[in-house]
Short mmCIF file of all heavy atoms in Angstrom, two decimals:
data_model
loop_
_atom_site.label_atom_id
_atom_site.label_comp_id
_atom_site.label_asym_id
_atom_site.label_seq_id
_atom_site.Cartn_x
_atom_site.Cartn_y
_atom_site.Cartn_z
N VAL F 14 0.84 -1.18 0.03
CA VAL F 14 0.03 -0.04 0.02
C VAL F 14 0.89 1.23 0.03
O VAL F 14 1.83 1.42 0.77
CB VAL F 14 -0.89 0.04 1.20
CG1 VAL F 14 -1.69 1.30 1.18
CG2 VAL F 14 -1.92 -1.14 1.18
N THR F 15 0.53 2.25 -0.79
CA THR F 15 1.09 3.52 -0.77
C THR F 15 -0.03 4.56 -0.94
O THR F 15 -1.21 4.20 -0.99
CB THR F 15 1.98 3.75 -2.08
OG1 THR F 15 1.21 3.75 -3.29
CG2 THR F 15 3.08 2.66 -2.16
N ASP F 16 0.36 5.83 -0.80
CA ASP F 16 -0.70 6.86 -0.99
C ASP F 16 -1.42 6.70 -2.24
O ASP F 16 -2.67 7.04 -2.29
CB ASP F 16 -0.05 8.31 -0.85
CG ASP F 16 0.19 8.78 0.58
OD1 ASP F 16 -0.52 8.35 1.46
OD2 ASP F 16 1.09 9.47 0.79
N ASP F 17 -0.86 6.16 -3.24
CA ASP F 17 -1.37 6.16 -4.57
C ASP F 17 -2.34 4.92 -4.75
O ASP F 17 -3.26 4.97 -5.56
CB ASP F 17 -0.36 6.10 -5.76
CG ASP F 17 0.46 7.35 -5.80
OD1 ASP F 17 -0.06 8.40 -5.55
OD2 ASP F 17 1.68 7.27 -6.22
N THR F 18 -2.11 3.96 -3.89
CA THR F 18 -3.01 2.69 -4.01
C THR F 18 -3.90 2.46 -2.85
O THR F 18 -4.65 1.42 -2.86
CB THR F 18 -2.06 1.54 -4.25
OG1 THR F 18 -1.23 1.35 -3.07
CG2 THR F 18 -1.26 1.64 -5.54
N ALA F 19 -3.80 3.29 -1.78
CA ALA F 19 -4.60 2.97 -0.64
C ALA F 19 -6.22 2.82 -0.95
O ALA F 19 -6.82 2.09 -0.25
CB ALA F 19 -4.35 4.14 0.43
N HIS F 20 -6.58 3.65 -1.95
CA HIS F 20 -7.99 3.65 -2.21
C HIS F 20 -8.49 2.29 -2.83
O HIS F 20 -9.70 2.06 -2.98
CB HIS F 20 -8.38 4.62 -3.30
CG HIS F 20 -7.76 4.56 -4.60
ND1 HIS F 20 -6.42 4.78 -4.89
CD2 HIS F 20 -8.31 4.02 -5.72
CE1 HIS F 20 -6.16 4.51 -6.10
NE2 HIS F 20 -7.21 4.01 -6.73
N GLU F 21 -7.57 1.41 -3.20
CA GLU F 21 -7.94 0.14 -3.82
C GLU F 21 -8.16 -0.91 -2.79
O GLU F 21 -8.53 -2.01 -3.15
CB GLU F 21 -6.82 -0.32 -4.75
CG GLU F 21 -6.58 0.51 -5.94
CD GLU F 21 -5.75 -0.02 -7.02
OE1 GLU F 21 -6.07 -1.28 -7.41
OE2 GLU F 21 -4.79 0.55 -7.47
N LEU F 22 -8.05 -0.67 -1.50
CA LEU F 22 -8.02 -1.79 -0.57
C LEU F 22 -9.28 -2.57 -0.55
O LEU F 22 -9.29 -3.77 -0.66
CB LEU F 22 -7.82 -1.31 0.88
CG LEU F 22 -7.84 -2.21 2.07
CD1 LEU F 22 -6.76 -3.30 1.83
CD2 LEU F 22 -7.73 -1.62 3.36
N ASP F 23 -10.38 -1.94 -0.55
CA ASP F 23 -11.74 -2.72 -0.60
C ASP F 23 -11.86 -3.58 -1.82
O ASP F 23 -12.25 -4.70 -1.81
CB ASP F 23 -12.91 -1.87 -0.44
CG ASP F 23 -13.10 -1.41 1.01
OD1 ASP F 23 -12.83 -2.09 1.92
OD2 ASP F 23 -13.54 -0.22 1.22
N ASN F 24 -11.48 -3.04 -2.98
CA ASN F 24 -11.54 -3.70 -4.27
C ASN F 24 -10.54 -4.83 -4.20
O ASN F 24 -10.80 -5.95 -4.81
CB ASN F 24 -11.35 -2.73 -5.36
CG ASN F 24 -12.48 -1.85 -5.68
OD1 ASN F 24 -13.58 -2.21 -5.29
ND2 ASN F 24 -12.18 -0.72 -6.31
N MET F 25 -9.40 -4.71 -3.66
CA MET F 25 -8.46 -5.73 -3.61
C MET F 25 -8.87 -6.87 -2.67
O MET F 25 -8.65 -8.09 -2.97
CB MET F 25 -7.10 -5.20 -3.02
CG MET F 25 -6.00 -6.18 -3.06
SD MET F 25 -5.38 -6.66 -4.82
CE MET F 25 -4.48 -5.13 -5.35
N ILE F 26 -9.61 -6.65 -1.64
CA ILE F 26 -10.22 -7.66 -0.78
C ILE F 26 -11.15 -8.49 -1.68
O ILE F 26 -11.14 -9.70 -1.65
CB ILE F 26 -10.78 -7.09 0.48
CG1 ILE F 26 -9.76 -6.43 1.47
CG2 ILE F 26 -11.51 -8.16 1.16
CD1 ILE F 26 -10.39 -5.65 2.62
N ALA F 27 -12.00 -7.75 -2.29
CA ALA F 27 -13.04 -8.41 -3.11
C ALA F 27 -12.39 -9.29 -4.30
O ALA F 27 -12.77 -10.45 -4.52
CB ALA F 27 -13.93 -7.37 -3.77
N PHE F 28 -11.36 -8.75 -4.91
CA PHE F 28 -10.66 -9.45 -5.97
C PHE F 28 -9.91 -10.73 -5.34
O PHE F 28 -10.09 -11.76 -6.05
CB PHE F 28 -9.56 -8.50 -6.55
CG PHE F 28 -8.63 -9.20 -7.49
CD1 PHE F 28 -9.14 -9.31 -8.88
CD2 PHE F 28 -7.40 -9.71 -7.21
CE1 PHE F 28 -8.35 -10.00 -9.81
CE2 PHE F 28 -6.72 -10.39 -8.14
CZ PHE F 28 -7.04 -10.53 -9.45
N ALA F 29 -9.33 -10.57 -4.16
CA ALA F 29 -8.63 -11.67 -3.68
C ALA F 29 -9.58 -12.84 -3.45
O ALA F 29 -9.31 -13.98 -3.62
CB ALA F 29 -7.87 -11.27 -2.35
N LYS F 30 -10.81 -12.51 -2.83
CA LYS F 30 -11.81 -13.53 -2.68
C LYS F 30 -12.17 -14.12 -3.96
O LYS F 30 -12.40 -15.39 -4.14
CB LYS F 30 -13.01 -12.98 -1.99
CG LYS F 30 -12.74 -12.60 -0.48
CD LYS F 30 -13.94 -12.27 0.23
CE LYS F 30 -14.54 -10.98 -0.14
NZ LYS F 30 -15.75 -10.63 0.69
N ASP F 31 -12.55 -13.26 -4.96
CA ASP F 31 -12.94 -13.79 -6.31
C ASP F 31 -12.03 -14.74 -7.02
O ASP F 31 -12.28 -15.72 -7.61
CB ASP F 31 -13.31 -12.62 -7.19
CG ASP F 31 -14.64 -11.87 -6.70
OD1 ASP F 31 -15.36 -12.37 -5.95
OD2 ASP F 31 -14.81 -10.73 -7.20
N VAL F 32 -10.64 -14.33 -6.90
CA VAL F 32 -9.58 -15.14 -7.68
C VAL F 32 -9.20 -16.42 -6.93
O VAL F 32 -8.55 -17.13 -7.53
CB VAL F 32 -8.41 -14.10 -7.86
CG1 VAL F 32 -7.53 -14.18 -6.71
CG2 VAL F 32 -7.64 -14.59 -9.11
N GLY F 33 -9.75 -16.53 -5.61
CA GLY F 33 -9.40 -17.74 -4.96
C GLY F 33 -8.30 -17.80 -4.05
O GLY F 33 -7.87 -18.84 -3.55
N ALA F 34 -7.77 -16.60 -3.66
CA ALA F 34 -6.64 -16.58 -2.77
C ALA F 34 -7.23 -16.90 -1.30
O ALA F 34 -8.36 -16.60 -0.97
CB ALA F 34 -6.07 -15.16 -2.56
N PHE F 35 -6.48 -17.44 -0.38
CA PHE F 35 -6.85 -17.77 0.98
C PHE F 35 -6.38 -16.73 1.94
O PHE F 35 -6.97 -16.68 3.06
CB PHE F 35 -6.43 -19.24 1.33
CG PHE F 35 -5.05 -19.45 1.82
CD1 PHE F 35 -4.78 -19.42 3.15
CD2 PHE F 35 -4.08 -19.54 0.85
CE1 PHE F 35 -3.46 -19.63 3.45
CE2 PHE F 35 -2.75 -19.76 1.24
CZ PHE F 35 -2.48 -19.81 2.54
N VAL F 36 -5.45 -15.87 1.66
CA VAL F 36 -4.95 -14.76 2.39
C VAL F 36 -4.70 -13.55 1.54
O VAL F 36 -4.09 -13.67 0.40
CB VAL F 36 -3.72 -15.17 3.21
CG1 VAL F 36 -3.22 -13.99 3.95
CG2 VAL F 36 -3.97 -16.32 4.15
N LEU F 37 -5.04 -12.41 2.13
CA LEU F 37 -4.68 -11.16 1.50
C LEU F 37 -3.62 -10.46 2.53
O LEU F 37 -4.14 -10.08 3.64
CB LEU F 37 -5.71 -10.22 1.13
CG LEU F 37 -5.26 -8.71 0.77
CD1 LEU F 37 -4.57 -8.72 -0.59
CD2 LEU F 37 -6.48 -7.82 0.62
N ASN F 38 -2.31 -10.49 2.22
CA ASN F 38 -1.35 -9.70 3.11
C ASN F 38 -1.20 -8.28 2.58
O ASN F 38 -0.83 -8.13 1.40
CB ASN F 38 -0.09 -10.52 3.09
CG ASN F 38 -0.15 -11.69 4.00
OD1 ASN F 38 -0.76 -11.75 4.98
ND2 ASN F 38 0.59 -12.85 3.58
N VAL F 39 -1.45 -7.41 3.47
CA VAL F 39 -1.18 -5.95 3.08
C VAL F 39 0.06 -5.44 3.67
O VAL F 39 0.17 -5.42 4.90
CB VAL F 39 -2.44 -5.12 3.48
CG1 VAL F 39 -2.20 -3.72 3.04
CG2 VAL F 39 -3.75 -5.73 2.94
N PHE F 40 0.99 -5.06 2.92
CA PHE F 40 2.29 -4.57 3.35
C PHE F 40 2.43 -3.08 3.30
O PHE F 40 1.73 -2.49 2.45
CB PHE F 40 3.42 -5.22 2.49
CG PHE F 40 3.65 -6.66 2.70
CD1 PHE F 40 2.89 -7.68 2.05
CD2 PHE F 40 4.74 -7.06 3.55
CE1 PHE F 40 3.13 -8.96 2.22
CE2 PHE F 40 4.97 -8.36 3.66
CZ PHE F 40 4.13 -9.39 3.10
N PHE F 41 3.28 -2.64 4.23
CA PHE F 41 3.49 -1.14 4.26
C PHE F 41 5.04 -0.93 4.17
O PHE F 41 5.78 -1.60 4.82
CB PHE F 41 3.02 -0.55 5.65
CG PHE F 41 1.52 -0.65 5.70
CD1 PHE F 41 0.91 -1.84 6.25
CD2 PHE F 41 0.63 0.37 5.28
CE1 PHE F 41 -0.40 -1.83 6.41
CE2 PHE F 41 -0.66 0.35 5.41
CZ PHE F 41 -1.34 -0.81 5.94
N LEU F 42 5.46 -0.17 3.26
CA LEU F 42 6.80 0.05 2.90
C LEU F 42 7.72 0.60 4.01
O LEU F 42 7.31 1.39 4.82
CB LEU F 42 7.01 0.92 1.65
CG LEU F 42 6.10 0.45 0.41
CD1 LEU F 42 6.37 1.55 -0.74
CD2 LEU F 42 6.48 -0.87 -0.02
N VAL F 43 8.90 0.08 4.01
CA VAL F 43 9.93 0.63 4.86
C VAL F 43 11.04 1.10 4.00
O VAL F 43 11.47 0.38 3.04
CB VAL F 43 10.49 -0.32 5.85
CG1 VAL F 43 11.57 0.21 6.73
CG2 VAL F 43 9.34 -0.92 6.78
N CYS F 44 11.59 2.27 4.26
CA CYS F 44 12.51 2.90 3.34
C CYS F 44 13.94 2.27 3.34
O CYS F 44 14.84 2.95 3.92
CB CYS F 44 12.50 4.42 3.45
SG CYS F 44 10.89 5.23 3.21
N THR F 45 14.02 1.10 2.88
CA THR F 45 15.36 0.53 2.73
C THR F 45 15.51 0.04 1.30
O THR F 45 14.57 -0.17 0.48
CB THR F 45 15.46 -0.73 3.68
OG1 THR F 45 14.49 -1.57 3.43
CG2 THR F 45 15.38 -0.23 5.12
N GLY F 46 16.84 -0.36 0.91
CA GLY F 46 17.01 -0.71 -0.46
C GLY F 46 16.60 0.33 -1.47
O GLY F 46 16.71 1.59 -1.22
N ARG F 47 15.95 -0.05 -2.54
CA ARG F 47 15.43 0.89 -3.54
C ARG F 47 14.32 1.60 -2.85
O ARG F 47 13.85 2.68 -3.47
CB ARG F 47 15.06 0.19 -4.89
CG ARG F 47 16.30 0.04 -5.76
CD ARG F 47 15.84 -0.21 -7.29
NE ARG F 47 14.95 -1.37 -7.41
CZ ARG F 47 15.37 -2.52 -7.59
NH1 ARG F 47 16.71 -2.87 -7.58
NH2 ARG F 47 14.51 -3.58 -7.84
N GLY F 48 13.70 1.04 -1.91
CA GLY F 48 12.54 1.68 -1.19
C GLY F 48 12.89 3.04 -0.61
O GLY F 48 11.95 3.73 -0.30
N GLU F 49 14.17 3.35 -0.52
CA GLU F 49 14.49 4.67 -0.01
C GLU F 49 13.97 5.80 -0.94
O GLU F 49 13.83 6.89 -0.62
CB GLU F 49 16.06 4.74 0.18
CG GLU F 49 16.57 3.96 1.32
CD GLU F 49 18.08 4.03 1.40
OE1 GLU F 49 18.71 4.46 0.41
OE2 GLU F 49 18.62 3.69 2.43
N LYS F 50 13.82 5.41 -2.19
CA LYS F 50 13.39 6.37 -3.25
C LYS F 50 11.84 6.44 -3.39
O LYS F 50 11.40 7.14 -4.16
CB LYS F 50 14.03 6.08 -4.52
CG LYS F 50 15.50 5.93 -4.40
CD LYS F 50 16.20 5.66 -5.83
CE LYS F 50 17.64 5.54 -5.75
NZ LYS F 50 18.20 4.50 -4.97
N VAL F 51 11.10 5.60 -2.69
CA VAL F 51 9.74 5.55 -2.87
C VAL F 51 9.19 6.32 -1.81
O VAL F 51 9.38 6.30 -0.60
CB VAL F 51 9.20 4.09 -2.71
CG1 VAL F 51 7.66 3.99 -2.84
CG2 VAL F 51 9.85 3.24 -3.81
N THR F 52 8.15 7.20 -2.24
CA THR F 52 7.29 7.96 -1.27
C THR F 52 6.49 7.07 -0.41
O THR F 52 5.69 6.26 -0.89
CB THR F 52 6.32 9.01 -1.86
OG1 THR F 52 7.16 9.88 -2.77
CG2 THR F 52 5.60 9.81 -0.93
N ASN F 53 6.70 7.14 0.94
CA ASN F 53 5.99 6.19 1.82
C ASN F 53 4.54 6.66 2.07
O ASN F 53 4.25 7.76 1.58
CB ASN F 53 6.65 6.12 3.16
CG ASN F 53 6.48 4.87 3.82
OD1 ASN F 53 5.55 4.11 3.54
ND2 ASN F 53 7.44 4.45 4.77
N ILE F 54 3.73 5.88 2.63
CA ILE F 54 2.37 6.32 2.96
C ILE F 54 2.36 7.38 3.95
O ILE F 54 3.22 7.39 4.93
CB ILE F 54 1.56 5.13 3.34
CG1 ILE F 54 0.11 5.35 3.35
CG2 ILE F 54 2.01 4.56 4.60
CD1 ILE F 54 -0.75 4.06 3.46
N SER F 55 1.43 8.39 3.98
CA SER F 55 1.38 9.33 4.93
C SER F 55 0.77 8.66 6.25
O SER F 55 0.02 7.75 6.21
CB SER F 55 0.47 10.47 4.49
OG SER F 55 -0.80 10.14 4.28
N ALA F 56 1.02 9.38 7.36
CA ALA F 56 0.56 8.94 8.72
C ALA F 56 -1.00 8.90 8.65
O ALA F 56 -1.65 8.00 9.23
CB ALA F 56 1.13 9.81 9.81
N GLN F 57 -1.56 9.89 8.09
CA GLN F 57 -3.09 10.03 8.00
C GLN F 57 -3.60 8.85 7.09
O GLN F 57 -4.59 8.19 7.62
CB GLN F 57 -3.47 11.40 7.42
CG GLN F 57 -4.96 11.51 7.32
CD GLN F 57 -5.49 12.82 6.78
OE1 GLN F 57 -4.63 13.67 6.21
NE2 GLN F 57 -6.71 13.17 6.82
N THR F 58 -3.09 8.67 6.05
CA THR F 58 -3.61 7.57 5.17
C THR F 58 -3.30 6.25 5.87
O THR F 58 -4.21 5.37 5.74
CB THR F 58 -2.96 7.60 3.76
OG1 THR F 58 -3.24 8.96 3.22
CG2 THR F 58 -3.57 6.55 2.91
N TYR F 59 -2.24 6.05 6.38
CA TYR F 59 -1.90 4.82 7.12
C TYR F 59 -2.85 4.61 8.11
O TYR F 59 -3.30 3.40 8.28
CB TYR F 59 -0.48 5.00 7.66
CG TYR F 59 -0.03 3.79 8.57
CD1 TYR F 59 0.52 2.69 7.96
CD2 TYR F 59 0.05 3.88 9.96
CE1 TYR F 59 0.95 1.61 8.72
CE2 TYR F 59 0.37 2.80 10.72
CZ TYR F 59 0.87 1.66 10.12
OH TYR F 59 1.26 0.67 10.88
#
């Protein structure tokens, strides 16, 4: 999840059920590796 994709959460849950997944794991980025260059999620959106 990022600020740009946070709005997709409900649709992602529905999709995961429809496609047959048994778990949806939602990850939040930590600024390491190339992730240092990625804008993290804001505290409010988080």
Side-chain angles (χ1 to χ4, degrees):
V14 177
T15 67
D16 277 331
D17 295 330
T18 61
H20 67 280
E21 294 194 53
L22 177 59
D23 283 329
N24 288 338
M25 188 65 75
I26 294 172
F28 174 85
K30 291 191 290 186
D31 288 344
V32 81
F35 77 100
V36 176
L37 173 65
N38 284 325
V39 181
F40 287 83
F41 296 87
L42 304 181
V43 179
C44 296
T45 58
R47 281 201 299 275
E49 291 179 341
K50 304 177 180 67
V51 177
T52 302
N53 210 338
I54 194 168
S55 66
Q57 180 181 9
T58 303
Y59 177 78

